[in-house]
Amino acid sequence: MTSIIWKGESDSSVDDQVIERVQLGGAAIENVDFVNCTFIGCNFLEAKLAKVTFTRCSFKGCDFAMCSFTQCEFGEAQFDDCKLIGINWSIAGLAIDAQFLNCILDYSSFFKLILRSKKFEKCSAIECNFSHCDLRKSHFMECDLSNSSFTGADVRKADFSTSIGVFINPENTKVGKTAIGSDAAARLAMSHGFTVPSIFTD
């Protein structure tokens, strides 16, 4: 894999490259295919990407805050230490094939996406919309999910046991062998009128 200077040209194909510290805040990028590429420290703040594909690509320390991914495709993508704030992932397509490690995903929407067996690890996902998502067998490890919505989602066999701020209501969410932590269990019990010992709510 070699390093190149890619400056955001549309209508191109980029294979097996390391792309470092490009500044593309607010740029419009269309019809680009990236395969086996690594993005390091790149700035895509408020960029508008359309019909861009990322196949087996990794992103390290990149800023995609408020970026749009219209009809974009992600295949076996990996995001590490990235800012992904306020993104509407739903406009990318029906499925996002990506894993997230130590990322900030706050205020993003994954509405109706297929995220089956995906991994979110040590991420901040405050006030995110996971409504009507397929999250079966997904793992949320040590994440902050405060005020995030899972209404209508399928969370069967999903694991939230090490995450905080989780509220999943079985009355409007498909559950089954869904793992949640003691704080989430206490919050659910209290929402149904149960009194919970303070050891679970402090």
Side-chain angles (χ1 to χ4, degrees), residues 14-32:
V14 184
D15 298 347
D16 300 302
Q17 304 293 336
V18 176
I19 301 168
E20 297 187 68
R21 297 178 180 83
V22 293
Q23 300 297 313
L24 295 170
I29 304 166
E30 299 183 355
N31 300 309
V32 185

Side-chain angles (χ1 to χ4, degrees), residues 94-127:
L94 293 176
I96 299 293
D97 185 6
Q99 314 289 345
F100 302 89
L101 172 63
N102 200 35
C103 292
I104 303 175
L105 300 162
D106 301 346
Y107 315 113
S108 294
S109 177
F110 298 86
F111 182 68
K112 284 189 175 181
L113 288 181
I114 298 172
L115 298 169
R116 195 180 306 168
S117 301
K118 296 298 174 282
K119 183 185 294 184
F120 298 79
E121 184 175 355
K122 296 181 179 178
C123 292
S124 177
I126 297 171
E127 292 192 31

Side-chain angles (χ1 to χ4, degrees), residues 12-84:
S12 57
S13 180
V14 184
D15 298 347
D16 300 302
Q17 304 293 336
V18 176
I19 301 168
E20 297 187 68
R21 297 178 180 83
V22 293
Q23 300 297 313
L24 295 170
I29 304 166
E30 299 183 355
N31 300 309
V32 185
D33 296 322
F34 295 99
V35 180
N36 294 323
C37 290
T38 299
F39 296 79
I40 301 173
C42 297
N43 176 22
F44 289 90
L45 177 67
E46 296 184 347
K48 295 175 175 59
L49 279 65
K51 298 181 180 178
V52 177
T53 63
F54 300 95
T55 305
R56 296 184 299 279
C57 291
S58 63
F59 306 87
K60 301 178 181 180
C62 296
D63 188 351
F64 286 94
M66 304 302 293
C67 181
S68 64
F69 293 112
T70 305
Q71 297 180 22
C72 293
E73 297 181 17
F74 295 85
E76 300 179 42
Q78 176 73 41
F79 291 90
D80 296 341
D81 301 298
C82 292
K83 292 182 181 179
L84 299 155

Side-chain angles (χ1 to χ4, degrees), residues 170-188:
E171 294 182 353
N172 56 32
T173 309
K174 292 182 181 179
V175 299
K177 296 183 179 180
T178 306
I180 58 175
S182 58
D183 63 327
R187 191 176 294 109
L188 177 60

Side-chain angles (χ1 to χ4, degrees), residues 124-182:
S124 177
I126 297 171
E127 292 192 31
C128 286
N129 185 6
F130 292 98
S131 298
H132 301 283
C133 284
D134 184 350
L135 291 165
R136 284 176 287 177
K137 296 184 179 180
S138 288
H139 291 264
F140 289 80
M141 296 176 285
E142 299 181 47
C143 294
D144 186 348
L145 294 162
S146 299
N147 298 317
S148 288
S149 173
F150 293 90
T151 301
D154 189 341
V155 296
R156 287 175 291 178
K157 295 185 179 180
D159 189 349
F160 301 89
S161 60
T162 59
S163 292
I164 63 172
V166 180
F167 182 74
I168 295 174
N169 189 343
E171 294 182 353
N172 56 32
T173 309
K174 292 182 181 179
V175 299
K177 296 183 179 180
T178 306
I180 58 175
S182 58

